[in-house]
Amino acid sequence: MSQDSTTVPETSRKLSGRRRREIVAVLLFSGGPIFESSIPLSVFGIDRQDAGVPRYRLLVCAGEDVPLRTTGGLELTAPYGLEALSRAGTVVVPAWRSITQPPPAAALDALRRAHEEGARIVGLCTGAFVLAAAGLLDGRPATTHWMYAPTLAKRYPSVHVDPRELFVDDGDVLTSAGTAAGIDLCLHIVRTDHGADAAGALARRLVVPPRRSGGQERYLDRSLPEEIGADPLAEVVAWALEHLHEQFDVEALAARAYMSRRTFDRRFRSLTGSAPLQWLITQRVLQAQRLLETSDYSVDEVAGRCGFRSPVALRGHFRRQLGSSPAAYRAAYRARRPQGGPVERTDRPDRLERADRPDRAEVIEPRSGDHSLPLRRQGAPGGPTGHSGHPPHHHHAPHPDPGKPESDVYAPRLPEQAAGRAPGRPSLPGQRERPVG
């Protein structure tokens, strides 16, 4: 379940007699990043009852008997050990130091015991690897930072890894993507326990949005598991990345791998954590982003150079993944880009694209002496739409209302020009950035 879902999986598991729902244990390991480690400490460890946030009782526990060194060489001292996990109704693993190292056996045993006794288990970012090593994610949907999602899927093939989600709530086991997505999941837990008002009050104290739309898709890169070099599919994947400008489909990739489509789909999913068609579309959209940022190719030309069969296909997939049209994305990017940035081609520097609607673009000719760019005031974009094959509790943000205008376009005139003054450096309206998860 993503952060925008309106339904919550069943969580009413009976706790053993010694555990209390209001007690949250945070399990720390040496080498863990301090930011991720501090998120549950801040959310669950500070008394904010004056703001309307019910109080939790926090137990900070050491997951191993070694000095807990973290980012920058800082050394932490946890007041509790693994034995304190036996009192907690919620156990949070905020991060794990290395996705290539196995977690301590004693910590894994403690997590399994906590889950068996009804505790809610939470993994933030690479903490999902600890939950997977304990067997708590077997047969379940889960997520982690998009960089590590392919490795998680390959190492633990029984886990249904979805690299697109900011977090996944599977009832008694929850996982999140990296960094800021950990805050999203902790706010979701507060919302589940005490309602939207409490979560909203906490979000105001933390100066973060109570809910973020969308998922990790807008942050994805050409991420592949580190072990891919030893896999027979590595050559096919490398070929696909080098030939994104060509029109080919998954059937062509399966043929290059000398596999049936069914076998190729299964092998590819185990290697990368996503279906081959979804992976291919994501890579084409990423390539379109790069061309929109670094070239003056029209949207139609970008579609052709990224292997889309038509500009309409590019616009549809681009909007689903990034929440805006290609032309609007380029305009917003150029408004933020420092002057003098590189472009690959400038056939008509005096022509600028704008798109009020995703299915048509209008070319506007700037007036003489007018150096401003057409800007698009971005609202909250809708998140990715649901895809077939997801568990029924896995929800995505809906598309924006197609009948509602998505953006306003500022008139391409400088404020000093409107006031009759000589043109100077463009004064651009501020744009609200999306927080990075």
Side-chain angles (χ1 to χ4, degrees):
M1 188 195 79
S2 75
Q3 73 278 12
D4 292 300
S5 176
T6 56
T7 60
V8 177
E10 181 62 42
T11 58
S12 57
R13 297 179 68 221
K14 185 177 180 180
L15 284 173
S16 65
R18 57 184 174 177
R19 295 183 182 274
R20 296 291 180 268
R21 292 201 177 275
E22 70 274 9
I23 296 180
V24 177
V26 177
L27 191 58
L28 300 182
F29 297 96
S30 184
I34 193 169
F35 186 87
E36 283 81 354
S37 300
S38 69
I39 289 172
L41 306 184
S42 179
V43 170
F44 302 111
I46 298 177
D47 186 355
R48 296 187 176 91
Q49 294 181 88
D50 62 321
V53 182
R55 186 175 184 179
Y56 290 88
R57 183 181 174 192
L58 181 71
L59 304 178
V60 182
C61 307
E64 52 193 339
D65 295 327
V66 296
L68 302 180
R69 294 188 175 88
T70 184
T71 309
L74 298 177
E75 189 167 312
L76 307 177
T77 301
Y80 300 96
L82 289 172
E83 69 283 350
L85 266 62
S86 62
R87 298 151 56 190
T90 299
V91 179
V92 182
V93 183
W96 173 237
R97 59 175 166 262
S98 173
I99 62 174
T100 62
Q101 295 183 19
L108 299 180
D109 289 340
L111 287 171
R112 295 187 195 102
R113 191 178 310 113
H115 183 254
E116 290 169 0
E117 295 178 354
R120 176 173 53 190
I121 312 298
V122 180
L124 307 182
C125 193
T126 53
F129 282 81
V130 180
L131 273 57
L136 301 182
L137 297 182
D138 290 351
R140 292 177 178 266
T143 194
T144 187
H145 193 293
W146 60 263
M147 285 178 58
Y148 309 123
T151 301
L152 181 66
K154 180 174 176 62
R155 192 165 297 160
Y156 302 99
S158 61
V159 181
H160 306 310
V161 180
D162 190 341
R164 296 168 296 179
E165 294 291 352
L166 290 179
F167 65 80
V168 172
D169 180 347
D170 197 40
D172 54 351
V173 177
L174 304 87
T175 51
S176 83
T179 315
I183 301 177
D184 296 320
L185 179 51
C186 288
L187 285 173
H188 169 75
I189 291 172
V190 174
R191 187 181 303 111
T192 301
D193 290 348
H194 301 293
D197 289 345
L202 177 57
R204 287 191 293 274
R205 279 294 182 95
L206 298 175
V207 198
V208 296
R211 293 175 184 260
R212 285 197 296 159
S213 62
Q216 293 192 82
E217 285 179 310
R218 57 183 175 268
Y219 311 118
L220 293 175
D221 203 345
R222 296 187 177 191
S223 56
L224 294 170
E226 56 198 23
E227 301 94 336
I228 189 174
D231 193 282
L233 288 184
E235 184 178 346
V236 175
V237 171
W239 181 89
L241 291 174
E242 293 298 324
H243 293 78
L244 289 174
H245 58 284
E246 301 178 11
Q247 291 186 7
F248 59 87
D249 55 17
V250 178
E251 295 287 353
L253 295 180
R256 292 189 68 86
Y258 301 101
M259 297 179 185
S260 68
R261 173 65 186 270
R262 182 188 298 270
T263 301
F264 181 79
D265 282 5
R266 185 181 69 252
R267 290 285 306 281
F268 193 95
R269 186 182 291 274
S270 68
L271 177 67
T272 68
S274 66
L277 179 59
Q278 181 59 46
W279 178 86
L280 182 58
I281 291 172
T282 298
Q283 301 309 317
R284 293 195 190 282
V285 170
L286 283 168
Q287 181 68 4
Q289 278 184 269
R290 297 184 187 101
L291 290 180
L292 290 167
E293 293 171 0
T294 61
S295 78
D296 277 341
Y297 293 123
S298 69
V299 173
D300 288 14
E301 290 174 306
V302 169
R305 290 174 179 270
C306 296
F308 288 104
R309 298 187 183 279
S310 71
V312 173
L314 166 62
R315 291 186 176 98
H317 291 300
F318 199 95
R319 182 174 296 277
R320 277 190 287 274
Q321 291 198 23
L322 298 173
S324 69
S325 68
Y329 177 88
R330 168 178 275 169
Y333 176 83
R334 289 185 172 180
R336 296 190 302 266
R337 180 171 59 87
Q339 292 186 353
V343 292
E344 292 179 2
R345 192 189 85 178
T346 309
D347 288 343
R348 290 291 307 277
D350 59 331
R351 294 170 66 87
L352 299 172
E353 281 191 339
R354 106 183 191 192
D356 293 340
R357 293 180 51 185
D359 56 345
R360 67 186 180 197
E362 176 186 351
V363 178
I364 54 177
E365 301 280 352
R367 288 176 291 273
S368 176
D370 189 342
H371 304 290
S372 64
L373 294 176
L375 296 181
R376 173 182 184 268
R377 185 187 298 122
Q378 291 184 330
T385 57
H387 299 275
S388 60
H390 280 266
H393 55 261
H394 216 104
H395 300 280
H396 299 267
H399 280 303
D401 183 355
K404 181 180 180 180
E406 276 199 47
S407 63
D408 298 320
V409 179
Y410 293 94
R413 289 178 62 83
L414 301 178
E416 55 264 43
Q417 288 175 319
R421 298 190 300 271
R425 184 179 181 84
S427 176
L428 303 177
Q431 290 186 307
R432 182 174 299 171
E433 296 280 8
R434 299 175 187 150
V436 177

